[in-house]
Amino acid sequence: MDPVASAVRLEVQEAVHILSSSEDGGHIVSTLQSLRRYLGETETQAPLGEQEEFSRTHFSTVLRCVVGKLSPDWLDLLPDGQLKELWASFFLEGPADQAFLVLMESIEGAASPSFRLMKMAQLLARFLSTGRMAAVMEGQCGQQAGPASRLLQETLLTRVVGLPDRLGNRLQREMLAAFFPQNYFPLLGEEVLRVLQAVVDSLRGGLDCSVSFLSQVLGKACVHGRQKEILGVLVPRLMVLTQGNCLWQRVCWRLVECVPDQAMEAVLKGLVEAAPGPEVLSRLLGNLVTKSKKAQFVMTRKLLFLQYSCSTPVLQSLLGYLAMDSQRRPLLVQALKELLETWGSSSAIRHAPLEQQRYVSKAVLICLAHLGEAELRACRDELLASLMDGVKNRLDSSLPPVRRLGMTVAEVASARLHPEGPSLKFQYEEDELTREILALAAPWPVPDGPSEAGLPVAPVGGESPDQETVDGGGPQAGREGSDSELDSDDELVPYDMSGDREQRNSKTPAYVRDCLEALTASENWERWEAALQALEGLVLKSPAATREVSLELAKVLLHLEEKTVVAGFEGLRQRALVAVTVTDPARVAEYLAVQFYALNYSLRQRMDILDVLVLAAQELSRPGCLRRAAQQGSPGPGSQPSVAAVPAWQAVVEERVRRKTRRFCKGSAGWAAAAGPNEFNAVAGYFFFPLLQRFDRPVVTFDLLGDDQLLLGRLAHALGALMYLAVNTVVAVSMGKALLEFVWALRFHRDAYVRRGLLSAISSVLLSVPAERLLADLPDELLEARSWLADVAEQDADEDCRLLAVKALLLLEKLRDRLLPLSSP
């Protein structure tokens, strides 16, 4: 055994025995002073090897011993508080991490209230005020990563960040001001700055350091909701320290890069809100969004689309940060495309809150202001298409603020995207929001040079409007004189090429089996694309041939991936799969419903299964489904245009005749609606019941009752849609009973989207099952549903859930007179 370790161990054992048993104040003081020489704070210091052995192995044992003896009588063994100061010096001068852990351990283990608890709390407050927390964190910046080190860091991290909560639980009304969160976290920020300064000094001296522990402290504090307190101290100081100092900037970048993924959103949101501008944010973050996928998602998706609480200056700071470096500018262009698409989405216009729509509108204009002409020119067509679709959808809205928002953004965006052409102009009343949006339209200066802007800024050849004038001294039209007017082709009518088709080297498949073969085994991409485009029509045209290979077709389409760029690939695949399901509903629907719970499927494929089942059920429930499907089948590859097609000139003539003809009596304006049996009646069970069988059983790849709540919400909405489409069918009562049991099992789900699906499902049951059957077969389920709906309508936090619950209660109100006798004893 090492003689140094043995000597230290024997002396510590003897000292612990004296401290535990002696009541002689002088003896205790001499023992403590002999132990202090291992801390290096006395004139007679122990050798360095003995100090390291004591700190590594015995220091915590000594601290626990003196804490165990703490009492009023023990401290009064010497006058004038001599023993108290000597006792406290071990915590204030020894290894900081061990002293901090023993302090927290003794406070959490002490009886409340007690003398020992208050003395340890006061000592902890003194520990914090003397800067010892910086020593705790600094000690973790130089340690080598290992299992013991990671365990120690996790323990320290929990207690450093959770200190106010832990002390509050123990002290309660006796809580000291130093432990209040509004006081503690700014102090923690100051200590982090001191440690960062020590890290910078060590790096300048050629020593290796790590800021990983500091990143974890920052992340955990922000996750606890203390961004303002800690970042309010950090950001102003780092803003000054990083200005013109590359080493400080690299340390800050590393500090944020090492933040755990689960805390990245809280940290980035706090930094974006605390930074006074994009320049500061760029110095603090660097190119983090290009290195971390999580940071990129937060900065370009979460803060732009899923949250809308940021103020306009914060939004300008966020998007300005993306625009300040050539490596980040492509993310700004992509964000603009997605923002414009969301801004113009008819679904978003109908369902998104007006505040979120305003937020997205501001983000669109800020992006446009930051992008240069060359960048906008590269994607102008795509942006203009999204803008025009969005304007149309917004002008169709019944809400004046939505329409006014569309007109304002369209005016500004069109002028920015197409400055040389006519800009859109609308008449509307200006308000505060309109003036704020117009103020965002001023372009920002684009960084000079390709290295900063991210795109070449040289003019595209042939686009200079005055090139001919500069080269030849005058416009070409002026040199040719009046002969140019004779050659003008402005009056010529362009040839109609709308019916032209692209010529292909491969022949379009003429049979369903040919399509199946091309999709599975063909290496000819043109044949593969042609098969996909022709499949829907062939399936509807040849139902008998489709039924022979329906399951194989469904399996191939479900796993089909886009091998080459095909316009509208997802739509073609989905429509073909719907057509196969409509043609052979019983077998294909049951197969798809079973595959929904099978292994080795992605969440996207499972959502596709739900969409296909609902669309197929909708098609089957329409009158004349099979006849209409056969009529919609696409013609074969060699078919000729119908001779009954009306030429364009004849249609114009007939329209003129119709307008000038006077009629004294008019018959029916249109054909009567087609009548026929509900084809969904016989197969509704194949669509519905397999989807309900295993929702509560987790699978290796997904868990509906766990993290995959989005898929559970889609399932609830799909089941409600299938229930609604089964109106007045024979199996509707059984479906309604099963669906109400499903709703009752999940009625307390925490996700609002799932609850909306459950509420919609209840409404579907009430609309689909006849009232007599509801009262006869489902009285108990209806009463349970009614009590839950009333609770949701009054107390649910989600506004849409409350609205859906009220609608369902209105449907139940029609059955009130019959339900009341059932509920009476």
Side-chain angles (χ1 to χ4, degrees), residues 327-343:
Q327 296 184 27
R328 303 194 292 262
R329 289 185 74 85
L331 296 176
L332 182 67
V333 176
Q334 183 63 30
L336 174 59
K337 294 178 181 179
E338 296 175 355
L339 283 167
L340 258 183
E341 184 179 352
T342 302
W343 180 82

Side-chain angles (χ1 to χ4, degrees), residues 90-244:
F90 280 83
F91 292 91
L92 301 178
E93 297 171 2
D97 53 352
Q98 298 183 52
F100 175 71
L101 289 177
V102 172
L103 278 172
M104 294 296 295
E105 175 187 314
S106 61
I107 290 174
E108 293 173 358
S112 177
S114 65
F115 172 83
R116 179 180 298 173
L117 175 63
M118 294 308 302
K119 285 298 180 182
M120 298 306 297
Q122 292 168 5
L123 181 58
L124 179 59
R126 187 177 171 187
F127 182 91
L128 296 178
S129 64
T130 54
R132 297 288 287 165
M133 185 59 74
V136 172
M137 294 186 288
E138 185 178 351
Q140 304 306 310
C141 292
Q143 290 196 2
Q144 298 293 330
S149 175
R150 285 196 295 269
L151 181 60
L152 174 62
Q153 288 189 359
E154 291 176 4
T155 305
L156 285 173
L157 179 65
T158 303
R159 283 163 173 75
V160 167
V161 180
L163 186 145
D165 295 334
R166 292 172 178 267
L167 269 293
N169 289 335
R170 297 300 299 155
L171 298 177
Q172 297 183 1
R173 295 182 181 275
E174 303 297 328
M175 182 77 162
L176 302 181
F179 305 140
F180 289 158
Q182 60 268 29
N183 298 330
Y184 174 74
F185 284 101
L187 172 67
L188 186 61
E190 294 285 353
E191 301 295 82
V192 170
L193 281 171
R194 291 179 57 187
V195 179
L196 288 175
Q197 182 65 63
V199 169
V200 171
D201 294 340
S202 298
L203 293 176
R204 285 174 178 158
L207 300 177
D208 292 336
C209 288
S210 170
V211 295
S212 176
F213 183 73
L214 297 180
S215 301
Q216 296 181 51
V217 170
L218 178 62
K220 199 171 187 68
C222 291
V223 167
H224 283 203
R226 297 299 171 181
Q227 296 102 321
K228 291 183 179 180
E229 288 87 349
I230 191 168
L231 293 178
V233 173
L234 282 173
V235 171
R237 292 286 296 126
L238 292 177
M239 178 177 63
V240 176
L241 293 169
T242 56
Q243 190 168 8

Side-chain angles (χ1 to χ4, degrees), residues 405-477:
L405 195 61
M407 290 185 283
T408 308
V409 174
E411 282 188 357
V412 177
S414 63
R416 187 80 178 92
L417 290 172
H418 203 269
E420 65 274 10
S423 59
L424 298 176
K425 292 294 181 183
F426 299 94
Q427 293 182 352
Y428 53 86
E429 295 182 1
E430 289 192 4
D431 56 5
E432 183 178 353
L433 175 64
T434 303
R435 289 188 289 272
E436 182 181 1
I437 288 178
L438 293 175
L440 297 174
W444 287 62
V446 179
D448 297 331
S451 62
E452 296 183 14
L455 286 175
V457 295
V460 180
E463 291 194 4
S464 178
D466 296 331
Q467 182 177 5
E468 303 260 341
T469 304
V470 173
D471 293 342
Q476 184 69 22

Side-chain angles (χ1 to χ4, degrees), residues 312-561:
T312 301
V314 171
L315 190 57
Q316 289 176 318
S317 180
L318 166 61
L319 296 173
Y321 159 76
L322 296 178
M324 287 197 66
D325 187 86
S326 60
Q327 296 184 27
R328 303 194 292 262
R329 289 185 74 85
L331 296 176
L332 182 67
V333 176
Q334 183 63 30
L336 174 59
K337 294 178 181 179
E338 296 175 355
L339 283 167
L340 258 183
E341 184 179 352
T342 302
W343 180 82
S345 169
S346 58
S347 176
I349 293 172
R350 288 195 305 269
H351 302 296
L354 184 58
E355 190 63 32
Q356 185 176 13
Q357 298 186 40
R358 292 172 177 170
Y359 182 83
V360 172
S361 301
K362 295 176 184 178
V364 167
L365 297 184
I366 295 172
C367 288
L368 286 172
H370 278 289
L371 291 176
E373 294 296 333
E375 293 165 310
L376 292 176
R377 189 184 303 117
C379 55
R380 175 183 296 171
D381 294 340
E382 182 179 353
L383 296 177
L384 281 175
S386 299
L387 178 66
M388 292 301 103
D389 290 342
V391 172
K392 177 183 177 300
N393 292 333
R394 289 190 172 275
L395 292 181
D396 290 341
S397 174
S398 60
L399 300 177
V402 174
R403 295 198 302 270
R404 186 163 55 248
L405 195 61
M407 290 185 283
T408 308
V409 174
E411 282 188 357
V412 177
S414 63
R416 187 80 178 92
L417 290 172
H418 203 269
E420 65 274 10
S423 59
L424 298 176
K425 292 294 181 183
F426 299 94
Q427 293 182 352
Y428 53 86
E429 295 182 1
E430 289 192 4
D431 56 5
E432 183 178 353
L433 175 64
T434 303
R435 289 188 289 272
E436 182 181 1
I437 288 178
L438 293 175
L440 297 174
W444 287 62
V446 179
D448 297 331
S451 62
E452 296 183 14
L455 286 175
V457 295
V460 180
E463 291 194 4
S464 178
D466 296 331
Q467 182 177 5
E468 303 260 341
T469 304
V470 173
D471 293 342
Q476 184 69 22
R479 291 198 299 266
E480 293 181 357
S482 60
D483 291 343
S484 61
E485 299 178 0
L486 300 177
D487 296 334
S488 174
D489 58 355
D490 291 344
E491 299 299 327
L492 296 179
V493 179
Y495 184 75
D496 184 12
M497 302 178 65
S498 60
D500 290 4
R501 296 183 180 180
E502 180 183 357
Q503 292 185 353
R504 299 181 182 274
N505 296 327
S506 59
K507 187 178 179 181
T508 302
Y511 302 99
V512 173
R513 286 188 181 273
D514 293 345
C515 291
L516 179 60
E517 179 184 354
L519 293 175
T520 53
S522 177
E523 296 296 333
N524 186 333
W525 304 136
E526 288 191 0
R527 185 165 180 256
W528 183 89
E529 180 180 353
L532 180 60
Q533 293 175 344
L535 181 57
E536 180 190 8
L538 292 174
V539 166
L540 297 176
K541 185 181 179 181
S542 308
T546 301
R547 293 188 187 98
E548 295 178 2
V549 292
S550 58
L551 292 182
E552 291 85 349
L553 269 176
K555 183 177 181 180
V556 169
L557 290 171
L558 189 58
H559 292 83
L560 194 64
E561 296 181 353

Side-chain angles (χ1 to χ4, degrees), residues 628-639:
R628 184 173 59 257
Q631 294 170 1
Q632 290 177 352
S634 62
S639 62

Side-chain angles (χ1 to χ4, degrees), residues 75-86:
L75 291 179
D76 290 340
L77 291 176
L78 287 178
D80 302 329
Q82 299 178 35
L83 186 56
K84 177 181 177 182
E85 287 299 320
L86 184 59

